[in-house]
Amino acid sequence: MNTIFKTLAATALAVASTVGAAQAEGERYVLVSHAPDSDSWWNTIKNGLALGCEQMDVECEYRNPPTGDLADMARIIEQAAASGPDGIITTLADPDVLSGPIRNAVESGIDVIIINSGTPDEAREIGALMYVGQPEYDAGFAAGQRAAGDGIESFLCVNHYIAQPASTQRCQGFADGLGVELGNQMVDSGQDPSEIQNRVMAYLNANPDTDAVLTLGPTSADPTILALDQMGLAGDIYFGTFDLGGDIVGAIRDGVIEWGIDQQPFLQAYLPVVVLTNYHRFGVLPGNNINSGPGFVTADALDLVAELAGEYR
């Protein structure tokens, strides 16, 4: 663990020790995500949850729908609430599907923090304590403005989780940042790596004048790296992505990917545990929501990120 995290851990442990002497322990928190089992990006979320719970000396559990089905996620939230935890940390991947179960949990007296998906306004509307995450449209818009400054006018957005509205918000924000229509520049790639690779190649073969490719995380970025390499376009076509992972970091270093948008998933799980524990033990709560991103990771500052990618970044 690097120096920053060692310092953070030591500080949190000291706080936890003081808390243990002054307050009863035994808080229990459940984090419910929308991620399918196949999405390795969420390992960083799990690491943040585990470290936060260890340091604050609380019991925690991670739950998710194995296939990413949001109706299944809604049932998991209901089950988590029925188990009577002190708090639920959850994503708001689709307000139409998830707002009801989350609002019911709040009304039953369970404190909720929304992370990752959704917006601060949506979190407030359903009664959550706060929001910790990256507003997805804003992140996409910032990426689009950055790409526009680099001369980009057209793109392919590889959407591997089109059932989640936040994914489309990323693509739409990018298009708006460029000042162009999204139209058919977004494709539903699915989550199978071979299918993603084939669909990227098919689109670029049919649209050879495409200036750029935007992917929404390692699930779509990793096969796209392979597709561009097979087509002889690696390093020649403008390529940006959301989120980080080992292959993404390597592609940034090699000049294949221009930038990765880091929403700092570690903080999205770690901070809610700290916030909830201090709220339940001392009644203190930050006055504002926490934007964990976006931050652009480029080849200019890659060493520390590369060391921690997939674990804490």
Side-chain angles (χ1 to χ4, degrees), residues 1-7 9 51 55 307-308 311-312:
M1 189 182 298
N2 75 356
T3 302
I4 293 174
F5 283 107
K6 286 180 179 178
T7 302
L51 185 59
Q55 291 177 350
E307 179 185 343
L308 301 172
E311 186 176 5
Y312 294 106

Side-chain angles (χ1 to χ4, degrees), residues 38-294:
S38 60
D39 195 337
S40 62
W41 181 84
W42 290 81
N43 290 338
T44 304
I45 290 272
K46 295 175 185 177
N47 289 340
L49 179 70
L51 185 59
C53 295
E54 176 186 352
Q55 291 177 350
M56 302 309 290
D57 193 21
V58 297
E59 179 184 349
C60 291
E61 183 178 356
Y62 176 91
R63 299 184 189 179
N64 69 295
T67 65
D69 181 75
L70 295 180
D72 189 17
M73 180 184 175
R75 288 189 291 270
I76 293 172
I77 293 173
E78 291 171 347
Q79 292 166 359
S83 72
D86 296 284
I88 290 177
I89 304 163
T90 187
T91 67
L92 189 56
D94 186 339
D96 291 339
V97 177
L98 302 174
S99 291
I102 296 172
R103 187 176 288 109
N104 290 340
V106 171
E107 291 175 353
S108 73
I110 299 171
D111 293 313
V112 172
I113 291 180
I114 300 298
I115 65 167
N116 181 263
S117 300
T119 67
D121 287 343
E122 290 169 340
R124 184 179 61 253
E125 288 172 2
I126 60 174
L129 292 178
M130 64 184 303
Y131 169 86
V132 181
Q134 171 181 271
E136 303 293 8
Y137 176 85
D138 294 345
F141 189 82
Q145 288 185 313
R146 186 184 185 102
D150 292 333
I152 301 303
E153 297 181 352
S154 63
F155 69 101
L156 162 65
C157 184
V158 188
N159 192 336
H160 66 267
Y161 196 17
I162 205 163
Q164 181 192 353
S167 296
T168 300
Q169 290 171 12
R170 291 178 170 186
C171 299
Q172 185 65 62
F174 189 79
D176 291 348
L178 284 178
V180 302
E181 295 293 327
L182 178 58
N184 65 358
Q185 295 182 107
M186 179 178 71
V187 298
D188 177 4
S189 68
Q191 298 185 22
D192 178 78
S194 296
E195 187 65 23
I196 293 170
Q197 183 176 346
N198 290 336
R199 291 191 181 188
V200 169
M201 293 174 65
Y203 184 94
L204 294 179
N205 280 325
N207 300 274
D209 295 331
T210 302
D211 292 335
V213 177
L214 176 70
T215 56
L216 305 186
T219 298
S220 51
D222 295 353
T224 298
I225 293 169
L226 298 177
L228 297 184
D229 183 64
Q230 186 170 335
M231 298 180 73
L233 294 175
D236 290 333
I237 190 169
Y238 192 96
F239 183 2
T241 187
F242 280 78
D243 302 331
L244 299 177
D247 289 349
I248 290 173
V249 169
I252 293 174
R253 179 184 288 111
D254 295 340
V256 174
I257 293 179
E258 294 285 333
W259 38 258
I261 300 175
D262 184 16
Q263 62 175 297
Q264 302 188 91
F266 173 86
L267 293 180
Q268 292 177 9
Y270 180 88
L271 289 178
V273 172
V274 175
V275 168
L276 283 170
T277 304
N278 281 289
Y279 181 60
H280 292 145
R281 293 177 182 175
F282 300 114
V284 294
L285 186 70
N288 295 307
N289 299 294
I290 300 173
N291 283 352
S292 64

